[in-house]
Amino acid sequence: MSIIEIAQKTRVSARKLAVLSADAKNQAIDAIAKALEAAAPDIVAANAADCKAAEADGIAKPLYDRLKLDESKLKSAIAGVRDVAKLPDPVGSVQIHRELDAGLILKRITCPLGVLGIIFEARPEALIQIVSLAIKSGNGVILKGGKEAVRSCEILTKVIHQALAETAVNPEVVQLLTTREETIELLKMDEYVDLIIPRGSNSFVRFVQENTRIPVLGHADGICHLYADKAADINKAVEISVDAKTQYPAACNAIETLLVHSAIAPVFLPAVAAALQQKKVELRGDEKTRAILETIAEANESDWSTEYSDLILSIKIVDSVEEAINHINTYGSRHTDVIVTEDSETAETFLNGVDAAGVYHNCSTRFADGFRYGFGAEVGISTQQMPPRGPVGLEGLITYKYRVVGDGHVAASYVGKDAKEFTHQDL
């Protein structure tokens, strides 16, 4: 089947999905969750084969970590599917209900986008999250996983198709592509695909952004910061720093740079360095930092704009919250940044001044996640200025249409000498 035929089938199936009831969609999502549980041993085995082949090909550790789908990750992904089923139906919500004139009624009602093109490296659990969100929001989805995850993606899609075959949702609403050539063709399908969501490395996302006319939702970098303020609780700052860097270093919401106020640097830096080095984190510092931590490597200009996705952390000493904000807004990727401080006024300055999709106070950047936000799952994280921004769940997969119902009303009645007036009354 050609890519055009695949896109056409997805479009036709998506239009039928768009008008299904919330119950019908939820039953389909529940069927997927049950099918994934039943097929868990086969899914884990297929992923293990992917991981073994990837290791033989010399896959980078951060990408390997994203590729791995063990029992724990799969269980979490299935829990996310069930959470999506519990969420309110985003389709058919009335956002505006207004009388334009007697008998002339305007409604703005949410509806699906249409067909989503999702291109991702590794991350087979992303396929599970995306399919559940797509069905809940009434969208068709064309998926393209990385070559390193082909076995995982194929079995997941097979299980999902089998589950949907027993429901009101046509399995053709979910399609899987497997070759690079298909990816290139997908990016040209602006007639059939309404939104592209890439998930992967900086270079990969930029390639997608530069090679399609279809709107793209995503982020190219995850350069996140933690700023330890002069009023920080030292123990709290150490614990948050360690979690934000080491809990899952390959994640896009792990911190890459630690900014430290000069007033606490002599006390805080030795404590945080010891905790991080115990977790095998390689530290790199500016000149002031290395005057305190003499054995660490020197950080150069490129370190401030590097997403390591690994156990590497650059450190810089600053003299004020304003200097920290300026550094973040200069080198950051507008993903997620956090301040650790007991001074609420300083925290407010930071939260207002940092230009990012997520701005945190006294908690780890690792909370920047659709599942943890209660979205059930996420299709990706957006760092663009226009909404949706941050972790994107159901609200990022819908648009709206205006419905106007009258009774023989014509525009000519509202112009000229005896023009009628609009009432514009919200109902």
Side-chain angles (χ1 to χ4, degrees):
M1 193 185 309
S2 71
I3 183 71
I4 291 179
E5 290 173 317
I6 289 172
Q8 288 172 335
K9 284 180 178 291
T10 311
R11 173 69 81 186
V12 170
S13 301
R15 285 175 176 155
K16 294 177 181 177
L17 171 61
V19 297
L20 287 182
S21 68
D23 284 344
K25 292 185 291 186
N26 288 337
Q27 287 168 11
I29 293 168
D30 184 60
I32 289 172
K34 290 177 179 175
L36 290 171
E37 282 180 335
D42 293 334
I43 294 169
V44 171
N47 180 255
D50 278 335
C51 290
K52 184 177 180 180
E55 277 188 301
D57 287 342
I59 189 173
K61 186 179 182 301
L63 196 59
Y64 179 86
D65 291 341
R66 292 170 182 166
L67 171 63
K68 189 173 182 180
L69 181 62
D70 55 19
E71 289 183 18
S72 176
K73 260 191 183 181
L74 180 58
K75 187 176 180 180
S76 178
I78 294 170
V81 172
R82 290 204 162 98
D83 282 346
V84 169
K86 296 173 187 174
L87 295 172
D89 190 348
V91 178
S93 174
V94 179
Q95 298 180 325
I96 296 175
H97 188 193
R98 181 172 298 158
E99 177 192 86
L100 305 184
D101 194 7
L104 186 62
I105 307 300
L106 165 73
K107 288 184 180 180
R108 189 170 82 185
I109 301 179
T110 57
C111 60
L113 285 171
V115 175
L116 314 174
I118 317 291
I119 311 172
F120 53 98
E121 290 180 319
R123 306 173 189 266
E125 77 271 19
L127 185 152
I128 299 170
Q129 297 174 349
I130 290 160
V131 168
S132 60
L133 289 169
I135 291 173
K136 182 78 175 192
S137 58
N139 291 290
V141 61
I142 301 174
L143 301 149
K144 170 60 178 72
K147 64 178 182 179
E148 67 284 342
V150 66
R151 299 173 186 84
S152 305
C153 291
E154 285 178 340
I155 191 167
L156 287 170
T157 304
K158 178 183 176 182
V159 170
I160 289 167
H161 279 172
Q162 290 172 341
L164 292 179
E166 304 299 320
T167 74
V169 176
N170 188 331
E172 289 185 344
V173 81
V174 177
Q175 301 283 354
L176 178 68
L177 308 181
T178 57
T179 70
R180 177 179 171 81
E181 291 71 28
E182 288 174 321
T183 302
I184 303 301
E185 289 303 308
L186 177 64
L187 296 179
K188 299 174 183 176
M189 295 286 105
D190 51 296
E191 183 179 350
Y192 301 105
V193 179
D194 300 283
L195 181 67
I196 294 286
I197 304 177
R199 296 181 64 167
S201 67
N202 178 311
S203 58
F204 167 74
V205 175
R206 291 200 184 281
F207 173 82
V208 171
Q209 291 171 332
E210 293 167 4
N211 286 275
T212 186
R213 292 185 297 181
I214 304 168
V216 176
L217 185 153
H219 69 282
D221 296 296
I223 303 172
C224 303
H225 299 76
L226 184 148
Y227 166 55
D229 181 55
K230 65 180 179 181
D233 177 304
I234 298 296
N235 292 333
K236 194 180 293 182
V238 169
E239 188 172 1
I240 294 172
S241 298
V242 171
D243 183 86
K245 178 71 251 184
T246 70
Q247 198 269 332
Y248 186 16
C252 60
N253 57 14
I255 60 169
E256 308 294 9
T257 298
L258 175 64
L259 303 173
V260 182
H261 195 288
S262 55
I264 65 164
V267 176
F268 173 67
L269 281 177
V272 75
L276 288 166
Q277 288 170 334
Q278 190 172 9
K279 296 281 190 176
K280 303 191 184 314
V281 178
E282 176 192 331
L283 303 178
R284 302 175 184 179
D286 68 347
E287 187 176 349
K288 291 179 180 179
T289 299
R290 294 178 71 235
I292 298 171
L293 304 176
E294 298 177 357
T295 61
I296 70 170
E298 180 181 0
N300 56 44
E301 181 68 17
S302 66
D303 282 299
W304 311 129
S305 54
T306 297
E307 181 181 11
Y308 302 114
S309 299
D310 203 353
L311 291 173
I312 305 171
L313 182 69
S314 56
I315 306 174
K316 182 179 182 180
I317 292 177
V318 296
D319 293 322
S320 66
V321 65
E322 289 80 13
E323 187 179 349
I325 292 169
N326 183 61
H327 179 97
I328 292 169
N329 288 343
T330 300
Y331 296 100
S333 61
R334 303 192 296 190
H335 192 298
T336 307
D337 303 288
V338 59
I339 181 173
V340 180
T341 185
E342 300 305 303
D343 185 324
S344 58
E345 188 174 329
T346 300
E348 197 65 20
T349 297
F350 181 93
L351 299 176
N352 289 332
V354 169
D355 178 14
V359 283
Y360 290 12
H361 177 203
N362 285 353
C363 57
S364 172
T365 55
R366 288 284 292 126
F367 287 107
D369 176 84
F371 180 77
R372 289 169 178 156
Y373 279 10
F375 297 167
E378 68 185 31
V379 293
I381 291 182
S382 172
T383 56
Q384 62 191 22
Q385 291 296 99
M386 294 293 289
R389 201 178 190 203
V392 179
L394 293 173
E395 84 293 337
L397 302 181
I398 59 168
T399 183
Y400 51 78
K401 61 177 68 173
Y402 289 95
R403 292 187 190 176
V404 180
V405 177
D407 185 18
H409 292 74
V410 293
S413 303
Y414 299 86
V415 295
K417 183 180 177 182
D418 298 315
K420 294 181 67 177
E421 291 187 2
F422 291 104
T423 57
H424 287 162
Q425 179 181 346
D426 287 330
L427 303 175

